[in-house]
């Protein structure tokens, strides 16, 4: 009886095997290989999906937009984000000047060119992002810098975006921050600078145009000190550790950007400076400034025109000088002959005119050119040439030139890529005729020949 039950099952299995065998014989070997490959790909895909799912559990990431207007790239990184900028190295002086500079220059410490002509220091920042239950994206940022004997707290602020459904990209912030400091790279000049503490909003959309506005205060103990060699009298230089309070100098700053004028991108700046009663009444002043930036970008590079006018101030309305008017204008750009061969350039004009005290009235002319060639994606050679003239209304002028040859090792091909190791030699000559005449000395010529090695990184 048992045999009778098993026999039909055995016969059925045998028939199935035989029919499958016959069916398999109808496939070519190529078709069989394709079926096997497809099965392997499916198994690998399933394995990768499991691995990705495990990784995603370790990060707090927004995988879906909270609103239809929110961009998918608004993701929150897991843990702390470390970022900054730094450069450190050795700079051997064998001539009269350690860093080549013309007396009376006031559009950047490296107005004659910064390659192989800048000191050491760095800025190091930690940031932490959070996501609220309502979809708002928060971040808290702290930065310390090291540009002198003191280590200073330069940033300590919090901000939030994706807060308003009608304006999801608007970023509201409060605290201490680098504020409205547009910078030119080749001469390291902040043609506006309002670092301080306050509050404001950035990227507020008004009919397709982005609007920034803020009220900020200069930090106590941070003053526009003139360095002994007058290398950079218009840039804010902290002479001691930054305090926690306001100094008494305030500014309302604004910027309109994201505008097009034909093929050109347009930015407009407008700032107003005033003082509180923390400043003695006889010293309280007001200042204002406006600026325009026009830029054009194409496949071969970018060109930019900058124009700024300041009344009772120079590059910052925090720092006021009665009856001073200052005009700054420049043309700068980058041209790519190919990915391997590029050139950067800058022409700058700066007019400093004080109708009350005319002794230091002067016009500053500068030109810098930097051709660069990459031998491969690691090694490159840069040559930078700079010329500067400071023409005083009274007493003549000062002028000079600088030439730097630098051999570099970088992380990738292009002037924007860092970290970079730099090995350079810098030569130059400065003739400070006006300085010598004012000081009653005979020797006005300073020769420079310096050799150095430096690493530079932004991250």
């Amino acid at each position: 009886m048992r045999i009778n039950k098993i026999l039909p099952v055995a016969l059925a299995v045998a028939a199935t095997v035989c029919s499958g065998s016959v069916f398999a014989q109808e496939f070519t070997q190529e078709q069989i290989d394709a079926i096997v490959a497809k099965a392997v790909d499916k198994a690998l895909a399933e394995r990768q999906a499991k691995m990705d799912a495990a990784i995603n559990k370790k990060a707090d990431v927004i995988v879906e937009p909270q609103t239809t207007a929110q961009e998918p790239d608004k993701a929150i990184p897991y843990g702390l984000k470390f970022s900054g900028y730094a450069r450190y190295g050795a700079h051997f002086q064998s001539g009269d000047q350690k860093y080549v500079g013309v007396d009376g220059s006031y559009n950047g410490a490296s107005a004659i060119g910064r390659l192989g002509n800048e000191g050491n220091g760095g800025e190091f920042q930690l940031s932490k992002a959070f996501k609220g239950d309502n979809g708002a994206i928060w971040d808290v940022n702290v930065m310390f810098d090291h540009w002198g004997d003191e280590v200073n707290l330069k940033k300590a602020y919090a901000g939030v975006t994706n807060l308003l459904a009608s304006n999801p990209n608007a970023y509201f912030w409060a605290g201490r921050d680098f504020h409205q400091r547009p910078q030119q790279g080749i001469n390291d000049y902040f043609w506006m600078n309002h670092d301080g503490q306050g509050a404001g909003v950035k990227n507020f959309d008004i009919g397709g145009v982005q609007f920034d506005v803020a009220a900020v205060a200069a930090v106590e103990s941070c003053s526009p000190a003139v360095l002994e060699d007058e290398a950079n009298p218009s840039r804010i230089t902290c002479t001691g550790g930054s305090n926690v309070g306001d100094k008494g100098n305030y500014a309302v700053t604004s910027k309109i950007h994201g505008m097009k004028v034909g093929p050109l991108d347009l930015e407009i700046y407008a700032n107003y400076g005033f003082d509180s009663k923390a400043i003695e009444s006889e010293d309280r002043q007001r200042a204002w400034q406006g600026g325009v930036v026009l830029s054009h970008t194409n496949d071969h590079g970018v060109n930019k025109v900058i124009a700024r006018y300041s009344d009772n101030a120079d590059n910052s309305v925090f720092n006021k000088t009665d009856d001073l008017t200052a005009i700054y204008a420049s043309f700068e750009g980058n041209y790519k002959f190919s990915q391997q061969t590029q050139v950067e350039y800058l022409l700058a004009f700066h007019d400093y005119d004080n109708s009350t005290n005319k002794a230091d009235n002067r016009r500053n002319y500068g030109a810098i050119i930097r051709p660069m060639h990459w031998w491969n994606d690691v090694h490159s050679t840069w040559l930078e040439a700079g010329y500067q003239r400071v023409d005083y209304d009274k007493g003549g002028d000062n002028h000079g030139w600088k030439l730097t040859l630098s051999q570099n090792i970088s992380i990738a091909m292009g002037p924007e890529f860092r970290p970079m190791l730099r090995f350079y030699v810098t030569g130059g000559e400065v003739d400070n005729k006006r300085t010598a005449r004012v000081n009653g000395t005979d020797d006005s010529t300073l020769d420079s020949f310096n050799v150095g090695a430096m690493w530079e990184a932004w991250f």
Side-chain angles (χ1 to χ4, degrees):
M1 190 68 180
R2 184 180 178 186
I3 296 176
N4 293 336
K5 290 182 178 179
I6 296 176
L7 183 59
V9 175
L11 291 174
V13 172
T16 302
V17 172
C18 291
S19 63
S21 176
V22 173
F23 182 72
Q25 291 175 3
E26 296 177 0
F27 281 84
T28 65
Q29 186 62 42
E30 183 178 4
Q31 289 172 319
I32 294 174
D33 292 342
I35 293 172
V36 173
K38 185 176 181 180
V40 172
D41 290 341
K42 181 180 179 181
L44 291 175
E46 291 175 350
R47 178 175 177 270
Q48 186 63 45
K50 292 179 180 179
M51 293 175 62
D52 292 341
I55 293 173
N56 289 334
K57 289 181 179 178
K58 298 179 181 180
D60 182 11
V61 179
I62 299 174
V63 295
E64 294 293 338
Q66 297 300 313
T67 69
T68 56
Q70 180 182 337
E71 299 175 5
D73 62 355
K74 286 186 176 177
I76 298 178
Y78 178 74
L80 292 174
K81 179 182 178 182
F82 178 55
S83 61
Y85 169 79
R87 58 176 189 259
Y88 289 88
H91 186 90
F92 179 80
Q93 174 186 352
S94 64
D96 298 321
Q97 285 186 311
K98 185 174 184 179
Y99 302 106
V100 184
V102 179
D103 279 357
S105 166
Y106 51 93
N107 58 323
S110 301
I112 203 168
R114 68 184 293 183
L115 185 65
N117 198 40
E118 54 190 356
N120 298 326
E123 302 158 348
F124 309 97
Q125 177 170 298
L126 292 173
S127 304
K128 172 62 179 173
F130 308 87
K131 182 183 70 170
D133 293 338
N134 60 353
I137 312 295
W138 290 80
D139 64 333
V140 176
N141 306 271
V142 176
M143 172 185 278
F144 295 88
D145 78 356
H146 177 227
W147 293 108
D149 293 337
E150 300 288 339
V151 174
N152 289 301
L153 177 67
K154 298 298 292 184
K155 292 185 182 183
Y157 73 93
V160 58
T161 189
N162 203 42
L163 184 65
L164 303 178
S166 61
N167 222 307
N169 292 320
Y171 180 77
F172 298 87
W173 66 274
R176 178 182 295 189
D177 191 15
F178 285 166
H179 183 66
Q180 202 194 60
R181 44 153 48 194
Q183 180 188 16
Q184 295 180 294
I186 198 169
N187 62 340
D188 196 18
Y189 179 51
F190 299 100
W191 57 274
M192 283 182 177
N193 192 335
H194 296 97
D195 293 352
Q197 48 201 25
V201 60
K202 299 178 182 178
N203 301 325
F204 195 90
D205 188 275
I206 303 177
V209 175
Q210 306 297 309
F211 183 61
D212 302 352
V213 64
V216 290
V219 176
E220 193 174 359
S221 297
C222 188
S223 63
V226 178
L227 304 182
E228 290 183 0
D229 60 358
E230 293 186 337
N232 198 8
S234 70
R235 181 176 174 182
I236 295 176
T237 303
C238 289
T239 56
S242 297
N243 209 323
V244 295
D246 300 347
K247 184 180 178 182
N249 307 124
Y250 295 84
V252 175
T253 68
S254 65
K255 174 185 176 182
I256 302 174
H257 54 108
M259 295 182 291
K260 282 282 189 180
V261 181
L264 303 178
D265 296 304
L266 172 64
E267 298 176 358
I268 298 176
Y269 296 78
N271 306 315
Y272 176 72
F274 57 98
D275 299 329
S276 72
K277 289 188 177 181
I279 307 298
E280 296 294 332
S281 58
E282 63 271 16
D283 295 328
R284 291 178 209 150
Q285 298 183 44
R286 301 176 186 272
W288 67 271
Q289 66 182 184
V292 176
V293 180
L294 285 169
S295 59
H296 178 254
T297 304
N298 56 36
D299 293 338
H300 292 286
V302 59
N303 287 300
K304 183 182 295 185
V305 174
I306 297 171
R308 187 207 68 214
Y309 177 86
S310 303
D311 185 74
N312 282 353
D314 187 18
N315 69 333
S316 176
V317 295
F318 282 154
N319 313 311
K320 307 168 192 69
T321 301
D322 195 25
D323 295 324
L324 170 65
T325 58
I327 298 173
Y328 180 74
S330 68
F331 171 76
E332 64 177 314
N334 169 278
Y335 187 83
K336 297 180 181 179
F337 297 97
S338 67
Q339 185 63 28
Q340 287 186 268
T341 304
Q342 304 181 34
V343 61
E344 293 181 350
Y345 41 84
L346 169 76
L347 296 173
F349 169 78
H350 201 155
D351 181 70
Y352 183 98
D353 188 356
N354 189 327
S355 59
T356 300
N357 181 9
K358 300 182 178 181
D360 288 331
N361 287 357
R362 56 201 188 270
R363 286 164 298 281
N364 194 356
Y365 307 88
I368 305 170
I369 186 169
R370 182 191 292 174
M372 303 166 287
H373 181 76
W374 280 262
W375 306 101
N376 50 45
D377 60 354
V378 173
H379 299 283
S380 64
T381 302
W382 297 5
L383 179 68
E384 182 182 89
Y387 174 80
Q388 191 174 23
R389 179 187 177 196
V390 181
D391 184 16
Y392 284 83
D393 286 352
K394 297 181 180 180
D397 68 2
N398 300 327
H399 60 270
W401 61 269
K402 178 194 78 78
L403 189 67
T404 298
L405 179 65
S406 177
Q407 187 65 32
N408 315 302
I409 301 173
S410 60
I411 194 171
M413 182 183 296
E416 69 275 19
F417 290 108
R418 300 293 186 277
M420 174 180 286
L421 304 182
R422 186 178 297 144
F423 307 90
Y424 61 86
V425 57
T426 295
E429 183 180 86
V430 170
D431 191 354
N432 291 320
K433 291 181 179 179
R434 193 264 185 187
T435 303
R437 190 175 292 113
V438 171
N439 293 339
T441 59
D442 296 327
D443 189 7
S444 63
T445 302
L446 301 173
D447 294 315
S448 297
F449 186 81
N450 306 314
V451 179
M454 173 179 287
W455 72 272
E456 183 182 36
W458 49 68
F459 48 93

